[in-house]
């Protein structure tokens, strides 16, 4: 099906969930489906930057919050009608799409929200909620007026091409949009590279390839040049795929677009192979990364079993969060020790890594160690000149813990223990990033892309989309950018790993007390409706 069918082509209306009594009026002065609380400080009387009388523009940068009964909190997202008055609305073309004619209740109700935490206590507050993703009965863009663009930023991740494909196909097949541009080379491509047209035919097979057909880069957050390019090209929907640094850039771009009073919907799609973005259940590409990591672990295990006193050492991705290492270890069951950034470890002395290695080699004759790239950086900084260098995205450049640990193990056992060690070091990090996404991630990418398209067409802007407790939701940028999702080493998931590997926890009593104190603070903040400290999100990956 190349084009969306018109209602004239159908003998009788078959889209059962369209309810005109629940739709928006033809002209909506403000998107007030929720009563929001605004502080006086959120309005600035500086007319040249915050209000344009001819456009009816009024800037409000404060989070859109609504509170309700039983401790209900809605953290809403911006809408074009928040700062542009008298925007016309149009019936959603999906009501005439034969593919959805048999779907019941396909449109999302205006009051549908998704709970941040699925587990609550009987007498506790209902907690934070986010607006549920999905198609609305009324849209704020006509199909022929949409000029969309897609850009990928940051490092590679399995599934990037799938997201690109599904945005293009979703816009075309569901909403009849024919003008979609690909911005080449990341943010810098807005003002220094050419664009490429994207059609369903062009993107048909790209999900079978790794990487991104648009190219990518780090940095390039020149908001003025980017928004100038958006204006000059007549773009009115922007889809930006990238990690935490990219999402911060999306937020800045959105604020500049809002300041200028442009009818441009900005949607962010979070991408990180490390799964370190807060709030959402899981980022796309993570399942593929864990699956590919197991291949490397299996190779290390085969090598280790084949030689006397052999250690297979695998370095996996995870700059600040050890989710890939943890889940790959639990999935493989061949790992004897897993080292992650959240759990500091030490080498020498009772309970140290060297003592554990010696014991495992004596018991089994071999062992497998998995280390996340961000683990043990505090140990490396003590032995090397620590220079706080950063890449173009603002990420701190890490020392190579794999090579450092390899040399430390060899030196210790050859000089102090007089034991001949065979050590096989495997670093599959860039191989994992470059593979196509697996079946599970392909489905996730499809849902993410379509949810972003539905949100932009409905006039929402300045949001990122992701699964929250199994339901896709629109999440404000400040929640995505406020912290990083991290493994909680005093939680049951990490305890399961310790049981699987039988490794020492490397925790002393003081560390354990400190983590318990942090967890208590988390509970106190949650009861007060505040965000959790220290990157804890208390959801799906930590059960």
């Amino acid at each position: 099906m190349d084009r969306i069918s018109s209602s004239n082509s159908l003998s009788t209306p078959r889209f059962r969930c369209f309810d005109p009594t629940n739709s928006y009026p033809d002209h909506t002065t403000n998107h007030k489906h929720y009563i929001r609380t605004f502080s006086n400080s959120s309005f600035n009387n500086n007319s040249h930057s915050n209000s344009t009388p001819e456009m009816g523009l009024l800037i409000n940068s404060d989070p859109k919050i609504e509170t309700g009964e039983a401790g209900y909190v809605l953290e809403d997202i911006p809408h074009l009608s928040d700062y542009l008055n008298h925007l016309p609305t149009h019936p959603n073309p999906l009501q005439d799409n034969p593919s959805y004619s048999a779907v019941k209740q396909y449109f999302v109700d205006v009051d549908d929200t998704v709970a941040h935490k699925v587990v609550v206590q009987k007498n506790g507050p209902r907690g934070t909620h986010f607006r549920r993703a999905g198609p609305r009965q009324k849209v704020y863009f006509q199909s022929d007026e949409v000029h969309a663009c897609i850009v990928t930023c940051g490092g590679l991740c399995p599934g990037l091409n799938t997201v690109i494909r599904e945005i293009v196909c979703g816009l075309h097949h569901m909403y009849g949009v024919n003008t979609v541009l690909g911005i080449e080379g990341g943010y810098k491509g807005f003002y220094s590279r050419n664009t490429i047209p994207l059609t369903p035919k062009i993107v048909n097979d790209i999900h079978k390839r790794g990487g991104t057909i648009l190219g990518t880069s780090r940095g390039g957050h020149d908001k003025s040049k980017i928004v100038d390019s958006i204006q000059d090209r007549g773009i009115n929907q922007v889809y930006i795929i990238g990690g935490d640094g990219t999402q911060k850039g999306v937020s800045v771009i959105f604020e500049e677009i809002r300041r200028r009073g442009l009818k441009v919907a900005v949607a962010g799609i979070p991408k990180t192979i490390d799964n370190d973005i807060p709030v959402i259940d899981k980022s796309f590409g993570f399942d593929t990364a864990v699956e590919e990591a197991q291949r490397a672990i299996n190779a290390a295990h085969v090598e280790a079993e084949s030689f006397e006193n052999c250690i297979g050492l695998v370095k996996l991705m995870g700059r600040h969060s050890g989710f890939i290492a943890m889940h790959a270890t639990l999935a493989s069951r061949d790992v004897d020790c897993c080292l992650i950034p959240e759990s500091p470890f030490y080498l020498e002395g009772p309970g140290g890594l060297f003592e554990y290695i010696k014991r495992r080699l004596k018991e089994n004759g071999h062992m497998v160690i998995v280390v996340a790239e961000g683990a043990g950086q505090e140990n490396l900084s003590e032995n090397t000149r620590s220079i706080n260098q950063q890449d173009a995205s603002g990420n701190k450049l890490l020392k190579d813990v794999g090579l450092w640990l390899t040399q430390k193990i060899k030196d210790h056992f050859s000089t102090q223990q007089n034991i001949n060690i065979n050590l096989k070091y495997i670093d599959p990090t860039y191989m994992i990033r470059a593979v196509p996404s697996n079946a599970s991630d392909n489905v996730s990418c499809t849902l993410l892309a379509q949810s972003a398209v539905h949100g932009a067409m409905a006039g929402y802007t300045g949001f990122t989309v992701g699964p929250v407790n199994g339901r896709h939701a629109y999440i404000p940028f400040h929640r995505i950018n406020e912290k990083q999702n991290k493994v909680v080493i005093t939680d049951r998931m990490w305890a399961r790993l310790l049981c699987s590997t039988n490794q020492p926890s490397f925790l002393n009593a003081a560390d354990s007390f400190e983590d318990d104190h942090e967890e208590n603070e988390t509970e106190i903040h949650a009861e007060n409706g505040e965000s959790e400290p220290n990157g804890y999100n208390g959801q799906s990956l930590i059960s």
Side-chain angles (χ1 to χ4, degrees):
M1 181 184 67
D2 293 331
R3 296 295 300 273
I4 294 179
S5 302
S6 66
S7 58
N8 295 331
S9 65
L10 301 174
S11 57
T12 57
R14 294 184 293 166
F15 198 79
R16 302 179 183 178
C17 64
F18 180 71
D19 179 12
T21 63
N22 194 32
S23 61
Y24 309 132
D26 291 336
H27 289 81
T28 305
T29 57
N30 202 355
H31 194 257
K32 292 182 179 178
H33 301 305
Y34 293 100
I35 299 173
R36 295 154 186 132
T37 56
F38 300 115
S39 64
N40 292 331
S41 62
S42 63
F43 296 96
N44 189 318
N45 292 324
N46 189 338
S47 59
H48 77 275
S49 62
N50 284 313
S51 62
T52 306
E54 20 328 341
M55 289 194 221
L57 173 64
L58 188 59
I59 294 296
N60 170 32
S61 297
D62 280 359
K64 296 168 67 174
I65 305 294
E66 185 212 354
T67 57
E69 296 180 357
Y72 175 91
V73 177
L74 171 66
E75 296 199 17
D76 207 355
I77 58 172
H79 193 272
L80 291 173
S81 60
D82 291 342
Y83 62 92
L84 295 174
N85 292 330
H86 308 294
L87 288 176
T89 61
H90 316 279
N92 194 320
L94 283 174
Q95 67 180 336
D96 298 323
N97 191 322
S99 298
Y100 296 96
S101 60
V103 178
K104 296 180 180 179
Q105 297 179 346
Y106 184 71
F107 288 126
V108 173
D109 190 275
V110 295
D111 291 326
D112 281 359
T113 58
V114 179
H116 182 202
K117 289 188 175 181
V118 70
V119 178
V120 295
Q121 283 71 44
K122 177 181 178 181
N123 297 320
R126 292 174 62 190
T128 300
H129 290 65
F130 303 104
R131 189 176 288 276
R132 185 182 178 188
R136 268 57 179 177
Q137 289 183 351
K138 292 288 186 178
V139 296
Y140 282 73
F141 294 93
Q142 289 184 303
S143 302
D144 56 359
E145 75 170 304
V146 174
H147 289 70
C149 75
I150 306 171
V151 62
T152 53
C153 305
L156 296 183
C157 175
L160 283 170
N161 280 332
T162 307
V163 175
I164 295 170
R165 181 188 190 277
E166 296 310 319
I167 292 175
V168 174
C169 292
L171 284 167
H172 182 84
H173 294 311
M174 293 190 295
Y175 290 99
V177 173
N178 294 313
T179 306
V180 184
L181 298 176
I183 306 296
E184 292 186 299
Y187 276 133
K188 298 175 183 178
F190 275 103
Y191 49 86
S192 63
R193 297 287 297 276
N194 294 326
T195 62
I196 58 175
L198 298 175
T199 65
K201 183 177 181 180
I202 290 174
V203 301
N204 185 52
D205 294 325
I206 65 173
H207 63 291
K208 301 175 183 178
R209 302 183 229 162
T212 165
I213 63 165
L214 300 179
T216 186
S217 66
R218 298 188 184 276
H221 302 169
D222 191 325
K223 68 175 182 181
S224 295
K225 288 184 178 180
I226 291 172
V227 178
D228 286 345
S229 176
I230 290 171
Q231 280 190 271
D232 293 342
R233 299 178 190 274
I235 293 169
N236 52 20
Q237 288 187 12
V238 182
Y239 299 91
I240 303 177
I241 311 166
D244 52 355
T246 299
Q247 298 304 312
K248 291 174 184 176
V250 182
S251 178
V252 172
I253 292 169
F254 159 68
E255 291 295 343
E256 177 64 14
I257 286 174
R258 181 162 63 172
R259 188 188 70 80
R260 297 189 189 187
L262 306 178
K263 186 187 175 183
V264 179
V266 181
I269 300 176
K271 173 235 56 167
T272 168
I273 201 171
D274 295 345
N275 198 49
D276 58 0
I277 292 181
V279 180
I280 65 174
D281 297 343
K282 184 168 56 178
S283 54
F284 76 85
F286 178 72
D287 282 349
T288 304
V290 172
E291 186 175 302
E292 290 298 314
Q294 283 187 83
R295 302 180 193 275
I297 292 173
N298 181 62
H301 185 244
V302 170
E303 288 282 350
E305 280 190 318
S306 302
F307 296 89
E308 182 181 6
N309 289 334
C310 187
I311 300 173
L313 178 60
V314 181
K315 186 181 79 171
L316 298 177
M317 301 194 74
R319 298 178 58 84
H320 305 288
S321 303
F323 287 108
I324 293 179
M326 180 175 70
H327 281 257
T329 295
L330 282 169
S332 71
R333 300 288 173 173
D334 289 328
V335 179
D336 298 284
C337 186
C338 177
L339 305 173
I340 61 174
E342 295 89 339
S343 180
F345 65 93
Y346 54 97
L347 300 179
E348 301 187 32
L353 181 60
F354 290 157
E355 181 184 79
Y356 176 61
I357 291 174
K358 182 178 180 180
R359 184 171 76 248
R360 295 300 287 173
L361 291 178
K362 184 177 180 180
E363 294 171 351
N364 296 335
H366 66 274
M367 75 177 298
V368 175
I369 301 174
V370 168
V371 57
E373 61 180 325
Q377 290 297 311
E378 66 279 357
N379 297 331
L380 274 73
S381 61
E382 294 175 0
N383 296 278
T384 60
R385 291 185 179 179
S386 180
I387 303 175
N388 292 324
Q389 296 179 327
Q390 295 180 336
D391 62 20
S393 296
N395 300 313
K396 183 178 179 180
L397 295 177
L398 302 178
K399 310 294 181 181
D400 193 325
V401 66
L403 292 176
W404 173 81
L405 191 57
T406 296
Q407 194 60 48
K408 282 291 183 180
I409 292 173
K410 287 181 178 180
D411 291 344
H412 175 81
F413 284 94
S414 63
T415 59
Q416 298 187 33
Q417 299 293 330
N418 197 25
I419 299 175
N420 186 24
I421 293 289
N422 283 306
L423 198 148
K424 312 294 184 181
Y425 176 47
I426 299 175
D427 181 356
T429 51
Y430 289 99
M431 295 174 64
I432 291 174
R433 286 165 33 134
V435 300
S437 53
N438 63 11
S440 173
D441 276 324
N442 274 336
V443 173
S444 298
C445 292
T446 300
L447 297 178
L448 280 171
Q450 291 188 1
S451 295
V453 167
H454 291 317
M457 291 298 297
Y460 293 111
T461 183
F463 68 90
T464 191
V465 63
V468 179
N469 292 320
R471 292 288 186 272
H472 280 71
Y474 299 136
I475 306 165
F477 283 136
H478 74 272
R479 290 305 304 271
I480 295 296
N481 296 328
E482 65 187 357
K483 59 190 176 184
Q484 288 181 314
N485 190 26
K486 296 190 176 186
V487 174
V488 179
I489 61 172
T490 55
D491 199 86
R492 287 195 298 274
M493 198 60 152
W494 184 245
R496 293 184 185 112
L497 181 140
L498 297 180
C499 289
S500 172
T501 61
N502 290 317
Q503 71 186 71
S505 67
F506 302 110
L507 280 177
N508 55 37
D511 294 328
S512 182
F513 175 79
E514 183 179 346
D515 284 329
D516 288 340
H517 179 66
E518 291 174 355
E519 192 166 337
N520 290 334
E521 282 189 347
T522 297
E523 295 175 357
I524 293 172
H525 280 263
E527 290 175 358
N528 293 331
E530 301 174 10
S531 60
E532 299 83 351
N534 303 316
Y536 174 68
N537 68 353
Q539 53 181 2
S540 65
L541 289 179
I542 301 175
S543 58

